[in-house]
Amino acid sequence: MSVKEALKESLISFFEYKTPKIVHIKSKRVGVLNRIIQTLIIAYIIGFVIIAKRGYQEFSGIESSVTTKVKGIVSTKNLTADDFNDNYKDDKDLYIRVWDISDLVVPASENGAFFVTTNMIITPNQTLGICPEDADVSDAVCDPKVKDWCVDKVFQLGHGVSTGKCVNSSRKDVHTCQIEGWCPVEKDDYPLKNNTPMFTATKDFTVLIKNSINFNSYNVRRRNIIEIDNSSKLQDCTYHPDYNPGCPVFVLNDIVKGAGQDYDTISQYGGVIGIEINWDCNLDFDVKYCVPKYSFKRLDDPYTQIAKGWNFRYAYYNSNYRTLYKATGIRFVLLVSGSAGKFNFIPLVIKIGSGLGLLAITTIICDIVVLYLQKGGKYYKDKKFQYVEQVDNDYTDVLATNLRKRTASNEQNTPLSDS
Amino acid sequence: MSVKEALKESLISFFEYKTPKIVHIKSKRVGVLNRIIQTLIIAYIIGFVIIAKRGYQEFSGIESSVTTKVKGIVSTKNLTADDFNDNYKDDKDLYIRVWDISDLVVPASENGAFFVTTNMIITPNQTLGICPEDADVSDAVCDPKVKDWCVDKVFQLGHGVSTGKCVNSSRKDVHTCQIEGWCPVEKDDYPLKNNTPMFTATKDFTVLIKNSINFNSYNVRRRNIIEIDNSSKLQDCTYHPDYNPGCPVFVLNDIVKGAGQDYDTISQYGGVIGIEINWDCNLDFDVKYCVPKYSFKRLDDPYTQIAKGWNFRYAYYNSNYRTLYKATGIRFVLLVSGSAGKFNFIPLVIKIGSGLGLLAITTIICDIVVLYLQKGGKYYKDKKFQYVEQVDNDYTDVLATNLRKRTASNEQNTPLSDS
Amino acid sequence: MSVKEALKESLISFFEYKTPKIVHIKSKRVGVLNRIIQTLIIAYIIGFVIIAKRGYQEFSGIESSVTTKVKGIVSTKNLTADDFNDNYKDDKDLYIRVWDISDLVVPASENGAFFVTTNMIITPNQTLGICPEDADVSDAVCDPKVKDWCVDKVFQLGHGVSTGKCVNSSRKDVHTCQIEGWCPVEKDDYPLKNNTPMFTATKDFTVLIKNSINFNSYNVRRRNIIEIDNSSKLQDCTYHPDYNPGCPVFVLNDIVKGAGQDYDTISQYGGVIGIEINWDCNLDFDVKYCVPKYSFKRLDDPYTQIAKGWNFRYAYYNSNYRTLYKATGIRFVLLVSGSAGKFNFIPLVIKIGSGLGLLAITTIICDIVVLYLQKGGKYYKDKKFQYVEQVDNDYTDVLATNLRKRTASNEQNTPLSDS
């Protein structure tokens, strides 16, 4: 056969159809087993992968912008001298007043979060100077009889730099090293007796959450404030999971309750609450069904006994003095997530492709049953397998002759090609 | 056959080659159909999955750090008394002055965002005291003829706690409840007539964006400030999408325009603008081609009529008074995204593997055509399928004999095994 | 054959078993090759995909809350007049004092980040007024002999609005335009000679990091503060990668060193350091092994010569003056990542499915070897392929007859169906 002929034959062969030869075994038992396994796999692919997980859709990520506005007023005018701890008797007027958002929501603007103060220690009129260290800084407690106790000591967890002297502290009968720094130092305890948080009334504060999202791939933009609402309705409504799930105004107490927490308890040491806004949209339906679901969750661990809750210090500075605030409270963090799916041919084809791959498992299992686990396996094996001897070196010529004959007989157009 | 022999045979069989028997049908029509479908699938795999989606690459996530520095000066010295609303005539000197970054960019430092004030209400010298509630708080509007109208009322959206009295409000002919809180209360309208925003000149402010990224898997670090620039060039350039796409200094107006918005319009109520920095890098090419693309997008919804735009309040506290600011403006949010791909054998093999799975679709379609949709289907079916009867219980012995013979004949080294 | 019979036959056929016919070639060479390739693919699937990449697990995302508390005190009382640059001789008392957290950690509370000041320029008592522009603003340098040099000039990178006059600047022999704005303008250089950062002692500051995470799918909650620690132990310990990897208290210097940086060097111009907390948990083991790994990395680019490091300005406002601070320092950013895996049947099945797809490669490669790359390829080809002629139009009748006969003979229950 010349090269030209060989090429021609290859080309012809290339455009002819090749399909696997299938052994059709008339065994109902294995046939039914086969169909059951196939049905299970197909049911899994169609039911779970394609329908339940929406495998026929292409999904788009989410781009989100969220802003919040807290509203509310707290009055602590009902507190009396008896409510305060003894060491706050002189300072109590600092705390008996009316508080607004600018007093209690600190910092004024945070990206995707807001903090509401629930308890506070105010240290007014601190100046740079000399005063006794806080008796709670255990390193700084000294014995005035021992000379040089305080010399060359550094209190990294304290409030200043030791001057070397041991002096009376603000706590009775306790001496502490004298320090240089912002004086006087902050008190250790909160103002109210029994660790009562001062601003539990912030539970009635409301927050308006404005969340605008964008599904980039589909250029679909949605906002959590639904269009039919008008301004007056918006100011009046408050979110309720069942009766008013579309209202964007939340009472803080509802949020905390939704997270399974008690506002009064969390107020004591502070904490972190997540406000989750989930947009799970199916854009094959009308876009009006694409609305957010809110859920609430406490994010920090309430069960720890050490370094419990959340507090931080900030100060307002004036010319030569400052007012220091230790604010304990609840940080609310907004977590926006979601995705949008829309029918697309490509993911569907891919899912079907992998499904076909999985179907191969059927044949493997049934073959094992047919060939090894039932009577007559050897018989089926003989049918499934066509045994071909190896071409030995010695034997090649004979075979070649044989083959040439067979090829010739094939060319005589016998439909029974394999005998 | 002893167990030993059976094991030996199994072992030999294990190391012999098994390949599916293929029925080669000399039908050009189906052959061409077969090749067309195969070509489509292969083209999809190679063209789309492997080349277009860079399926031959392993992708790395991005780690990003972004800092911003806004520069600019605004003067409002050209404002005259006529520009102000009537109720601002006395306060107008607070607004006619020069403003710098520390006055207008609040807070001074935000993680991945910055805010520029475009309009402002200043309420200077607020003290804790007693004053009439704002007439805009509709609950607080009272009728002085009705006794006890204001008693025991709480205005959660107001500015203080009701004292119970009904007094003249700052608005003519309107009475409101007297409140205790930070007094006087903030005005309802912005200083300038016709809702003109005060700081539209901030459109000329510039922001230097420094973005440094890291592709962890490949330990490739890139920054948006390109090395060839020197400091003087950097201070002079301004970003332009066509003429200067590599400059990291942006004019705010260009950003807002790039997001399809008008600076003067957005200034009125504020808004949120996203500055997207996208690093989509192909590390199979030189790393110098790995540069960011900037794009801009308005993130909040400009079409809402309720709770429009973005504003927040902050206060500077002094000993016993504070200055309250209501700042309306544009929050710019930096969104860094991206990924880097590099050739890797494993994803390539996986893509090829799934491709082979998909190729099974070809055979399924062509088999349907060959066997059911064309003349002679029954003939091809006979060729494709080898029908094997079930091994009946009654028949087993006969078969066994038969099989033993066939096996023997196989062992006589007949190359034609299946007849 | 009636429709009813055909349907019945189809139904019977549907529940019968079909399996590909396999050609079993007794060639050890190709058999071994076949098994080697199969073993490689199976080893890859099992070893890499399933075991190393934990392909038998379903993975859950992470939800994280992180708060930080920095502690420390810096004294700059040891500075003398000689340490300061000449233009700071009068101001030096502003800098020689004790500094605490509220002075150096700005802003007081940031979401997932904190900033520690390492160098500072204080511009006290700025008032709105008239003063010479900074000589560093090159546009503003003027020649007093040239008339109207400064008229109608805008210095967008300067500190105010030009009044039109050219006056003596704070720098000797340099004239600059007079501006209206916050006066006096900030100095160009840092207080200490040789660019020495003022607060390198902040390297001894400690930060307590509280990180609480949640694997939603498995409802597993973990915190980085391990339960066995008690409060006193917690206050005493400091993190060490080898000796104390579970302690949540970090010395800033250790963090910076861990990122491969020198604290004194980074203090000069500031920078951004990432504190990575990685939770990579295998929930098939006891949950107590689910602990975080900390790592540190410099996120900004230390090698740039332009716009180096990180600094920002903030101001404290009083009635009619303000104190402006330029703070250079290190921003620490907390990056929490992680995932938890647990055994799940579905991902395992999917991995096995794709593995089966890949196994098809074996047959393709071995077929190429058997049929084209070795002696006797034609012989094996004849065995693998069963050649079937096309059904010609002319020939259809003959075939049909032929087929009818064959079908009849099939129905006579001949077990040897394909001959």
Side-chain angles (χ1 to χ4, degrees), chain B residues 96-111:
Chain B
I96 301 178
R97 42 167 280 203
V98 174
W99 308 79
D100 73 358
I101 292 307
S102 297
D103 300 323
L104 298 180
V105 177
V106 184
S109 157
E110 257 186 301
N111 208 350

Side-chain angles (χ1 to χ4, degrees), chain A residues 101-112:
Chain A
I101 291 306
S102 296
D103 300 323
L104 298 180
V105 177
V106 184
S109 157
E110 257 186 301
N111 208 351

